[in-house]
Amino acid sequence: MKKVEAWSAEDVSDWLNKEGMPEYIKVLHQTDGPALLSLTKADFTVPPLSRMSPDGGEQLLERIEILQMETHIEDHKNGHANGHIGGIPNGTSKLQRNGTLGRKDFETKIRIPIPTVEPPRSSFPTEWGKTGIAFIYAIICFVTTTVVISVVHERVPPKEHTPPLPDKFFDLFDRREWAFSICEINGMLLVGLWLIQWILLKHRSIIGRRFFFIVGTLYLYRCITMYITTLPVPGMHFKCSPKLLGNWEAQMRRIMKMIAGGGLSITGSHSMCGDYLYSGHTVMLTLTFLFIKEYSPRRFWYYHWFCLALSAFGIFCILLAHDHYTVDVVVAYFITTRLFWWYHTMANQQSLKETSQSNLLSRVWWYRLFQYFEENVNGTVPRNYQLPLSARAFHWNHAVKYSRLDIQ
Amino acid sequence: MAASELIEEDEVRIPVEANVTSLNAPAHTRPQRVANGNPTRHALTLSPPADDHDGTNRSERSGLCSLVLIQSLNRKLKRRCEYEKICAKEEHTDRLPNEWWKTGVAFLYALFNLVFTTVVITIVHERVPDKSVSPPLPDKFFDYVDRVPWAFTVTETNGLILVGLWLIQWLFLKHKAIVGRRCFFLIGTLYMYRCVTMYITTLPVPGKHMVCAPKLYNDSKGKIWRILRLISGGGLSLTSSHLMCGDFLYSGHTVMLTLSYLFIKEYSPRWMWWYHWFCWALSISGVICILVGHEHYSVDVVVAYFVTTRTFWWYHTMANTHELREAPNNYLSRVWWNPVFNFLEKNVQTTVPVVFLSPRALLSSCKERYHTIGIERDE
């Protein structure tokens, strides 16, 4: 390629074509090599160039500069072009920016320093310690609930004294004895399915933490609502165990029995009355379904529909058995779904993990606890599965670390 | 062929780029559309001043090879995206549009729900068990605190003051259409939830002191009279419009006290902390006085507080956090009122700033609005 100074107007036009700037060809059709090199920014402020060039000629001037450099290097090919291109700082190269070099036979070594990076930390650290704390929190809430049920039982008005309250559902549907057993069986099935699913999840520590926290908080709320106002029994069929007024030992034994039986009537551990607002069975049925749906693959729609049917029918059976008022079930559903969605929205959105004027979700009382649990989790937890034993086998080999190869 | 035409249109456009924004302004096109750019649309809207260019260019272009065409087209498109900017001022005014008709829709929704609540109260009143049949339920607060007869008057007075303060504050807000819409929507939804909980299970009266009007078993006319009386009195005992029982779960008074405080705090300047504390004191004392007056069970008040605060914070987070609107797993949008929310808040692009108009500005804006309405009507 001959030097730019020796270019004719035709060469300039060809070069403009090659560079992909054919619009300048018409304006610069009289320009030859030297005139091209002498173009300055001032030339672009007057017509006709000002009309042709929306960016004040910057791009064209840049290309002319590159062209100059190329010819300069071509001249000094065997000389001191090693690693330097016309005084540009080490490691950067203007030529490499847009990637379109005019010359393909360009040989020089460019040194680009790569800073040594540490292997990036996982976005989903396991942190079993935090899961342990959430578990203890849930256990405390369960035990508190049991104690409160025992306390409230002493205050339930006898059914002869205060008959069951009028309830719309009870007016429409008569009681069926077998319904509550179905509800509890459904509940146990759903909890079992969720447990199996949880064991198969890869990020089980994070998800387990969420489950324990949400369940604990829901039962804590339940303690409060049960305690402050005591609703009468919803049906005359209820057989409430006798009140143990002041007999602490017997009350403790009753509490233990309830915890051991998981609070289910099937196991015969739940013979106490008064825990109506709001329904713990509804909480478990709804929550397990929400977690199952959330942390299972989307294509398992038949599995989701099956669990939804179990959950919905279970809740319907609670009412059919006249074991809870309708308002208990509705309030339980509302609180469970709202808490679940609230927590997960905050967990998935980084901007909601910081307090700010526009983040009103942070005004809940448990926000600090939430931040503690979810601060190191970056982004949405993916639905990955892993057998638990294989993970343990993996632990014994130290993770293979790859290091950067140094080529001199 | 098409590519070369595009380049020509590009060429034609470049000299007249300055006209792009001003031409678009009266048409009120959305910023996004203009920025992405559609070469054909622009070429159609602009009057090409360089018609003579086309003829001469066409002959020259015929000899170009396709690779150069594509390359230059690519570059031009890139450049076009860089340069077609929209006036910043125009963008700003579009981000918080008034849309008073949406506020009207929200107002009708709230009105409908208030009337519906009144109807449900009348129905539920017929089903409240008699005091002798169903005595008041055991309540922890009632065990500790005996009834004080004048407490409920304090509640209602506080409620009226808070609502009055909020009304005045709202009148002076610049974006009152948007804020009003939110207020009406939340009131409507909370009262609708209340209808549901009141209707499905009927709690007995919380205290023996309550005087419930006699039941009108099949007297529809009498019931309608009661409904009208309740609406006209605003549901307050002060106006003696509220003689009906059964509307206990959950407490409407708590809803109004909490909600007006939340709105007052949210849409007032942050430095007015004394004002916030005063309203908070009014609100809290009002709520406690409901319980002291034995007018509601504790669970009614607690559930009302919970539902009000959660719904308020939920709605406002959805409205303020714009990343959520495009986020794939936005669980907040799983509520049943998400379509209504989208309808109300679709065009609100940013957090509503707390800006007030001075009384003079308020009057002049009112006059302006009436003036323009008058002109429109004349036309």
Side-chain angles (χ1 to χ4, degrees), chain A residues 19-20 23 55 155 165-168 227-230 232 277 294 327 342 345 348-349 351 357 361 380, chain B residues 75-76 79 83 127 133 137-140 193 199-202 204 249 270 299 314 317 323 329 331-332:
Chain A
E19 289 295 313
E23 67 269 20
D55 61 351
R155 292 190 344 192
L165 302 176
D167 190 290
K168 210 67 205 143
Y227 183 67
I228 50 180
T229 307
T230 316
L277 196 70
E294 185 59 29
V327 73
W342 193 293
T345 304
N348 290 339
Q349 198 70 21
S351 58
Q357 193 59 15
L361 290 185
T380 316
Chain B
R75 216 168 274 121
K76 286 238 181 33
R79 218 192 294 151
Y83 291 117
R127 294 193 339 194
V133 173
L137 302 175
D139 190 289
K140 213 63 203 147
Y193 284 166
Y199 182 67
I200 50 182
T201 307
T202 316
L249 194 72
R270 294 232 270 173
V299 73
W314 193 292
T317 307
E323 302 95 56
N329 42 10
Y331 300 88
L332 293 187

Side-chain angles (χ1 to χ4, degrees), chain B residues 92-93 96 98 100 169-179 267 352-358 362 365 369:
Chain B
H92 181 71
T93 49
L96 293 163
N98 269 339
W100 277 100
Q169 192 177 324
W170 176 75
L171 276 173
F172 282 102
L173 276 173
K174 183 173 176 203
H175 301 284
K176 45 169 103 56
I178 302 174
V179 176
Y267 294 105
V352 175
V354 179
V355 178
F356 291 94
L357 297 170
S358 68
L362 185 69
S365 77
R369 200 176 302 135

